[in-house]
Amino acid sequence: MAHSQAASIGAHSATSHGAGGDEHAQNPNLQHHFYSMAQQLEASTLGMWVFLVTEIMFFGGMFMAYILYRHLYPAAWQLGSHHLNVSLGATNTIVLICSSLTMALAVRSAQVSSRKGQIWFLILTIVFGSAFLVVKYFEYAEKFEHHLVPGPTFNMPTEEYPNGIIAPDQEANHQQLFFSLYFMLTGVHAAHMVVGIVLMLVILAMAIRGRFSASYYTPVEISGLYWHFVDIVWIFLFPLLYLLGAHLGAHGG
Amino acid sequence: MTDNISRSYLGAPHGVAAWLLTKDHKRIAMLYLISITIFFALGGIFAAGIRLELLTPKGDLWTPDMYNKLFTLHGVIMIFFFLIPSIPATLGNFLLPIMVGAKDLAFPRINLLSWYIYVAGALTTLAAVFNGGLDTGWTFYTPYSSIASETAVTTAAIGVFITGFSSILTGLNFIVTVHRMRAPGMTWFRLPLFVWAQYATSLVMILGTPVIAITVLLVGAERAFHFGFFDPRLGGDPVLFQHLFWFYSHPAVYIMILPGMGVMSELVAAVSRKQVFGYGFVAFSSLAIAILGFLVWGHHLFVSSQSIYAGLVFSIITMLVAVPSAVKTFNWAATMYKGSIMWTATTFWVLGFMGLFTIGGLTGLFLASMGLDIHLTDTYFVVAHFHYIMVGGAIMAYMGGLHFWWPKMTGKMYNEPGAIASAILVFVGFNLTFFPQFILGYMGMPRRYHAYPEEWQVLNVASTLGASVLFLGYLLPAFYLTWSLVKGKEAPANPWGAKGLEWTVPSPPPTFNFDEDPVVDEPAYNYKPTREVHVG
Amino acid sequence: MSSSPFPLFPPNASSVATEMDLLYLFIAAVSAFFVVLVAALVFVFAVKYRRRHPDEVGADIHGSLALELTWTVIPFILAMVMFVWGADLFFRLSRPPADAMEVFVVGKQWMWKVQHPEGKREINELHVPVGRPVRITLGSEDVIHDYSIPAMRVKMDAVPGKLTTLWFEPTVAGTYHLFCAEYCGTKHSGMIGQVIAMAPQEYEAWLSDAGTGAGGVSAAANGEKLFSEYACVTCHKGDGSGRGPILNGVFGSQVKLADGRTVTADENYIRESVMTPTAKVVAGFQPIMPPFQGTISEENLIQIIAYIKTLKASAPAAAEKK
């Protein structure tokens, strides 16, 4: 670090702040308090990585709760998981992985100054992200119908299930814990997806106006980091929530 | 306004919008200064309510519910809206860029955002205060907070949740600034120790705060949607909340004291005109405290039904985390040896800190020792311990720093005798308030009680008397500091003859800090007898 | 100490009080030494080395590895002594002696309900005999409370959803403060009472005196009644012919579960097995026991546990009425 800064001593030590070094005049995207585009990109990228670390800690609290209760109530966790729709979950997993691919391609397009590439790949990413949320909506609706939403309606009797969808010997109260974590984890994740999509819309608008090219693509890159992170959280959530009860038969036996 | 002010960051640009939409870290520091001072006053009013009730053994001033709200809000406001932002968001925001030789923090707009988030969180919490109050204690223990309390818990939880992001963004900004924006020649080991301390604090902020955020969100979800994370009737474990809560809240106390320790390093060096003794050890001790501080949360759970073996691990690491604090204290004392000590108000705050922080830190050992903690936990001994560190330590350091850098930040000199009087009043008042509480604690007086056995009245009255003196001590600066803004003498660039990049720029500094980009070619605190030191 | 006009210690009334006070004094002495040392050094330096002319600077001293090691190692060693002593004391306070007499305490907003096994019940008071260790099994009906007896130097949280344990041995007869020491809502400050330690003969007399406090029926006898009332006896037959496991001798034994785990059948296991039985199904049995969460109160649960504890392996299932 000292090296690269020492090397630029000559470049900017004798100048006043207003005119900046050569780079300020060359690139209007260089903010006044940075002395080079390289420094600005490095700082922005480090900033996003630090933010993602905070997100890991944020989800981490819920993962801790999950780990504790799964350890205490392993049977209830499998039974609860069995109620989730593995096909929809798997579909969403594939959707998100595809969206990460298109996101990476959008960043690449910006790096090689391809405006068309940026726009198309960003649009695809937004489409995939929205598809994820639509599938989520259907999943949540299904849970709502089956009275698997924690709270006063949990495991309420229905015509099909006069004792509630969870039989008396299947630890309904512990399954309610499972579903509390399910809704909390996927709900917070979905909120992050919404933020991600809004972010992508903003980046798309900027891309359409031609803001990004090889000389300046920082916002695309750091938004991409955020998007990939949200994808990776889902990669953890899917097996932990959906795949525990996959081996169980129709009646949870 | 005077010349030095009109040419500085205070002078231009003019207007409310220029302040509320500023990207200048120095203006944002001033915005924070005003906000946290308001909340300090509010938290102090609640403290007055507590101490007045405790004058008599019976609960005869407030209803029990009102008293419970008073101590809860005193804690919530002082911790989240005063102590945690205090040094980082005011002194840190103002000084960090200048100390590393930068024109601003890495992300000025995020810095401004962090202030707005603070305001949003504060307003949300105030909404809770005035719409039902909060009576769970600042610790929000479940299942009382999630199931039983009938106050505005969810609103307050949202308020704390929002405010946490202010802290996170500040920490994020500081980390990137220190890594990427140091001036040429400013190597890590030439950084002022204040920067090391802020850096360590920022690590804690970004790693710990998200955990309390999710924890209060879980409590809010439990209340609003009847999710059952902590509900024993569903198999939930109320103690899980304690683990999640203290995983942040213990490191949080290091968020509150580490910046103060950073300030102390600067003040001791400047007051003594001498290198900080053991610079490397002091720098690394900040990192050690930050890291070890994440491994000790279970010392709040010794009698909670936590496993004995977990308790052993937490106890031994808690003992370990005391050592770097001891190292710092001895290094500061050694810095004063053969120094050239100036006797100004700053010195009084420094001496006060040394005494009170040492007591506060050592009383932590009583609580870290598991067997003894059985008797002492949840008593006034704990209350005294943390006030010694947070008020006797952190606030004294904050006040010392505020005074020391006041000329730099405002361009004005304050009234010295008034400042010295304030420091002495605070020291005396503080000890009278909190020392009796150690005794009350060992006698067994529990926390959060508004009524107590008669035989403890004398000590409680002494404590309240001390609180009145303490109140005067804090009131004085409100007058002479404000007065200095109007009638104070114009401050020179370096009134104390101290070393540091901030003393090479005018008082107050221009908007972009440096007229010429600095190049650093000497270590920190390079007080050499052969170099000329000019006062003024 | 407690009788002097300026008391610093609560009454020394239990077998660990002296040691607790000694550990406290040790740490206080070490602390006082360092506070005085630091304060004196700092003050003396500030005076002795005060600035004598405006341009004076301090000496050019950077540090000393020897000093750093000294003031790292010495505090470390002292802290380790405090750790070891405290940990040892904690261990002893976590392990009730085998011959301790039992008492059951349930906290609820905002009172303490005590049940002696012999049948005596108390509210906000606890009578105990001097010279005998007493083991308290502690539960909560609602939120977290804490049973705190400063004179005995003990406290323990009462956590809803589980049972905790604390023990102490009174050494001096007298009446001592009892406090709730975990904030629990409106009347937290009012959830207080007394612990009354009595000479053993007086205690026996108090126990059998039906006049003060209800019930001459032992906790275990009540438990047996509840065992029958809630139809436990239909499945848990003493001869093994029922659909549930035999409970004779189960308390304290190692139990193999259907999922392969092996657990110790302590109070918390029995409690969970009643409240949410399907969480830990015994190997070889079906998960058909209905949950009693919400049906059986903590108090009644403790009596059922008391009854189950009396079920010995070799003897038929019959509680002794005292």
Side-chain angles (χ1 to χ4, degrees), chain C residues 52 59 119 124 134 142 145 194 200 207 218 241-242 250 283 297 303 321:
Chain C
R52 276 150 178 108
N124 293 332
V134 56
D142 39 38
H145 301 278
Q194 314 189 80
L207 256 189
S218 74
S241 63
V250 73
S297 72
Q303 292 170 336
K321 286 189 174 45

Side-chain angles (χ1 to χ4, degrees), chain B residues 65 135 273 331 340-341 442, chain C residues 21 51 56 58 68 183 186:
Chain B
D65 279 330
D135 74 345
R273 285 230 186 110
N331 274 297
S340 167
I341 317 284
Y442 203 79
Chain C
D21 294 353
R51 192 168 298 169
E56 185 189 52
E68 299 287 352
Y183 175 70
T186 308

Side-chain angles (χ1 to χ4, degrees), chain B residues 64-65 67-68 71-72 135-137 141-144 148 232-239 242 270-279 281 302-305 308-309 311-312 315-316 319-320 323 326-327 329-331 333-334 336-343 347 351 354-355 358-359 362-363 365-366 368-379 381 438-439 442-451 453 455-456 458-459 496 527-529 533-535, chain C residues 2 6-10 17 20-25 27-32 34-35 37-39 41-43 45-47 49-65 67-69 71-73 75-76 79-80 82-83 85-87 89-91 93-95 109-110 142-144 146 148-162 164 177-192 271 276 293:
Chain B
D65 279 330
Y67 183 83
N68 294 338
F71 74 70
T72 298
D135 74 345
T136 59
Y141 273 20
T142 57
Y144 181 74
R233 296 168 298 191
L234 295 181
D237 189 347
V239 182
Q242 294 183 35
V271 157
S272 316
R273 285 230 186 110
K274 189 164 165 277
Q275 294 258 8
V276 175
F277 193 93
Y279 173 98
F281 282 87
F302 286 144
V303 299
S304 71
S305 78
I308 307 180
Y309 302 102
L312 281 176
S315 174
I316 197 170
M319 292 294 179
L320 288 181
V323 174
V327 166
T329 308
F330 291 122
N331 274 297
M336 295 178 75
Y337 173 74
K338 291 205 173 153
S340 167
I341 317 284
M342 74 173 175
W343 274 89
T347 317
L351 294 178
M354 296 289 288
T358 305
I359 295 177
L362 288 167
T363 51
L365 295 171
F366 292 77
S369 181
M370 295 161 82
L372 191 52
D373 187 69
I374 293 178
H375 179 62
L376 290 175
T377 192
D378 246 292
T379 66
F381 193 95
F438 284 126
I439 302 171
Y442 203 79
M443 294 294 283
M445 180 169 172
R447 293 172 69 169
R448 301 166 164 174
Y449 265 42
H450 68 298
E455 61 259 33
W456 293 340
V458 173
L459 288 169
W496 317 118
Y527 293 98
K528 292 272 194 221
V533 175
H534 287 300
V535 177
Chain C
S2 60
F6 294 111
L8 295 174
F9 295 85
M20 183 84 67
D21 294 353
L22 274 175
L23 175 53
Y24 176 67
L25 286 170
I27 302 181
V30 171
S31 303
F34 281 107
V35 170
L37 176 68
V38 167
L41 280 178
V42 159
F43 191 73
F45 290 162
V47 171
Y49 299 110
R50 67 190 177 282
R51 192 168 298 169
R52 276 150 178 108
H53 63 87
D55 287 346
E56 185 189 52
V57 298
D60 190 15
I61 301 175
H62 292 247
S64 152
L65 183 59
L67 272 177
E68 299 287 352
L69 287 175
W71 61 48
T72 303
V73 170
F76 174 75
M80 286 304 108
M82 297 171 195
F83 163 70
W85 190 350
L89 181 56
F90 189 92
F91 259 91
L93 277 171
S94 307
R95 300 207 158 127
Q109 286 169 321
W110 288 278
D142 39 38
V143 298
I144 303 182
D146 186 290
S148 166
I149 317 169
M152 308 294 171
R153 311 290 189 277
V154 291
K155 65 163 67 74
M156 176 57 68
D157 279 3
V159 183
K162 58 179 86 165
T164 53
H177 287 300
L178 163 69
F179 300 113
C180 172
E182 185 60 66
Y183 175 70
C184 54
T186 308
K187 294 210 190 118
H188 170 58
S189 320
M191 196 163 159
I192 62 178
R271 186 185 178 285
T276 356
Q293 179 80 52

Side-chain angles (χ1 to χ4, degrees), chain A residues 1-2 5-6 8-9 12-17 24 31-35 39-40 42-48 50-51 53-55 57-62 64-65 68-69 72-73 149-152 172-177 179-181 183-184 188, chain B residues 23 102-109 161 165 168-169 171-172 175-176 179-187 206-208 210-211 213-214 217-218 221 225-231 233-238 240 244 247 294 512 514-519:
Chain A
M1 196 57 217
Q5 285 176 315
S8 55
I9 288 177
H12 73 272
S13 62
T15 56
S16 71
H17 65 89
H24 281 277
Q31 293 170 50
H32 77 278
H33 54 289
F34 291 114
Y35 62 75
Q39 187 194 34
Q40 183 172 285
E42 277 176 18
S44 303
T45 314
L46 178 60
M48 180 49 82
V50 170
F51 179 70
V53 166
T54 73
E55 292 277 48
M57 298 306 289
F58 188 66
F59 279 95
M62 288 188 286
M64 281 300 121
L68 171 72
Y69 290 133
L72 287 176
Y73 313 124
V149 178
N173 60 345
H174 296 159
Q175 285 201 42
Q176 194 173 160
L177 269 183
F179 279 99
S180 296
L181 275 169
F183 278 103
M184 208 57 202
V188 171
Chain B
K23 291 193 296 190
K103 296 195 178 77
D104 208 312
L105 288 176
F107 309 116
R109 284 169 298 189
F161 178 82
F165 287 99
I168 288 172
L169 291 178
L172 187 159
I175 288 175
V176 177
H179 273 282
R180 290 276 174 255
M181 297 186 66
R182 284 168 287 125
M186 181 59 88
T187 58
I206 61 149
L207 291 174
V211 179
I214 193 64
L217 207 61
L218 291 176
F225 308 125
H226 306 289
F227 289 1
F229 312 105
F230 311 116
D231 186 347
R233 296 168 298 191
L234 295 181
D237 189 347
L240 171 65
L244 289 173
F247 184 84
F294 271 103
F512 296 111
F514 300 99
D515 289 320
E516 268 187 33
D517 296 337
V519 174

Side-chain angles (χ1 to χ4, degrees), chain B residues 303-491:
Chain B
V303 299
S304 71
S305 78
Q306 177 179 257
S307 104
I308 307 180
Y309 302 102
L312 281 176
V313 174
F314 288 121
S315 174
I316 197 170
I317 301 182
T318 307
M319 292 294 179
L320 288 181
V321 82
V323 174
S325 295
V327 166
K328 280 185 195 277
T329 308
F330 291 122
N331 274 297
W332 292 323
T335 304
M336 295 178 75
Y337 173 74
K338 291 205 173 153
S340 167
I341 317 284
M342 74 173 175
W343 274 89
T344 60
T346 303
T347 317
F348 283 85
W349 294 107
V350 165
L351 294 178
F353 176 99
M354 296 289 288
L356 300 179
F357 171 72
T358 305
I359 295 177
L362 288 167
T363 51
L365 295 171
F366 292 77
L367 300 168
S369 181
M370 295 161 82
L372 191 52
D373 187 69
I374 293 178
H375 179 62
L376 290 175
T377 192
D378 246 292
T379 66
Y380 259 83
F381 193 95
V382 179
V383 176
H385 159 70
F386 64 68
H387 281 94
Y388 261 84
I389 310 219
M390 297 208 283
V391 181
I395 299 188
M396 279 222 139
Y398 171 71
M399 295 297 278
L402 198 61
H403 283 74
F404 180 67
W405 281 295
W406 187 261
K408 180 58 55 186
M409 298 193 293
T410 63
K412 302 287 191 171
M413 303 299 289
Y414 52 80
N415 178 277
E416 268 289 317
I420 293 177
S422 169
I424 293 176
L425 277 174
V426 166
F427 183 82
V428 169
F430 176 86
N431 277 307
L432 190 53
T433 310
F434 291 104
F435 201 85
Q437 294 184 8
F438 284 126
I439 302 171
L440 282 169
Y442 203 79
M443 294 294 283
M445 180 169 172
R447 293 172 69 169
R448 301 166 164 174
Y449 265 42
H450 68 298
Y452 52 82
E454 273 184 22
E455 61 259 33
W456 293 340
Q457 184 172 19
V458 173
L459 288 169
N460 272 293
V461 170
S463 180
T464 301
L465 184 61
S468 322
V469 177
L470 188 59
F471 166 72
L472 283 175
Y474 286 130
L475 195 58
L476 266 176
F479 288 108
Y480 64 74
L481 287 179
T482 316
W483 178 256
S484 79
L485 293 176
V486 183
K487 292 283 196 197
K489 257 185 17 196
E490 191 174 306

